[in-house]
Amino acid sequence: MHAPRVAVIGSGDCDNEVATEAEALGAGIAALGAELVCGGRGGVMAAACRGAQGAGGRTIGILPDGEREAANAWIDVPVATGLGPARNALVPLNGDVVVAIRGGAGTLTEIGFAAIHGRPVIGLETHDLPLVQPARDVVHVLELVRQALREQGFEA
């Protein structure tokens, strides 16, 4: 069985408060022994990767560009797709659990693809949809991630 993966989705631009939450989330994902998958760019993605790397975790970026060099500085495994926004289908597909932090239309499409692929979605101040399990804060997100991974047979 592969290591569990948690896909983190959210805005490519964020303020310091959101970046702090995303960084704490990334560190928590690494502490669970899970790999972090994201879109590989800035904002929530970069902050979450920074937290994961800082905690000794591994990060995977599914990039919209055709160049691996376009990844943020905290991506261990950049995956160039050349697909533009169509790569949004691949990010949740490569996570066993999906965590959405705020976000706009791109995040909404990734939530939709997570549902299509049967991935559980946990949300922190994101789109209010029946398929998104809301969390109060980062600590609660990590509790829900741990529970979802255990339900899938991972030792998180």
Side-chain angles (χ1 to χ4, degrees):
M1 182 175 253
H2 63 84
R5 288 184 177 170
V6 178
V8 176
I9 59 176
S11 179
D13 295 311
C14 65
D15 61 24
N16 288 336
E17 177 186 345
V18 176
T20 298
E21 289 175 334
E23 192 167 344
L25 174 64
I29 289 168
L32 291 174
E35 297 175 329
L36 189 150
V37 178
C38 69
R41 300 299 290 276
V44 166
M45 298 168 279
C49 289
R50 185 171 54 244
Q53 265 200 359
R58 181 178 159 138
T59 60
I60 302 164
I62 311 291
L63 300 162
D65 314 283
E67 299 83 30
R68 292 184 304 227
E69 295 77 22
N72 71 57
W74 300 277
I75 291 292
D76 294 311
V77 181
V79 179
T81 67
L83 295 173
R87 74 83 155 86
N88 289 0
L90 302 176
V91 175
L93 178 62
N94 283 282
D96 299 298
V97 178
V98 177
V99 176
I101 300 180
R102 293 176 179 82
T107 303
L108 183 58
T109 65
E110 289 172 310
I111 290 170
F113 283 117
I116 288 168
H117 296 299
R119 303 304 196 261
V121 180
I122 300 160
L124 184 60
E125 296 183 34
T126 192
H127 302 278
D128 183 16
L129 300 167
L131 55 101
V132 177
Q133 185 175 12
R136 297 180 299 275
D137 54 29
V138 172
V139 171
H140 190 213
V141 168
L142 291 168
E143 290 171 9
L144 295 172
V145 166
R146 179 181 285 116
Q147 178 183 346
L149 290 174
R150 284 184 178 155
E151 289 172 1
Q152 294 178 50
F154 292 105
E155 295 179 25

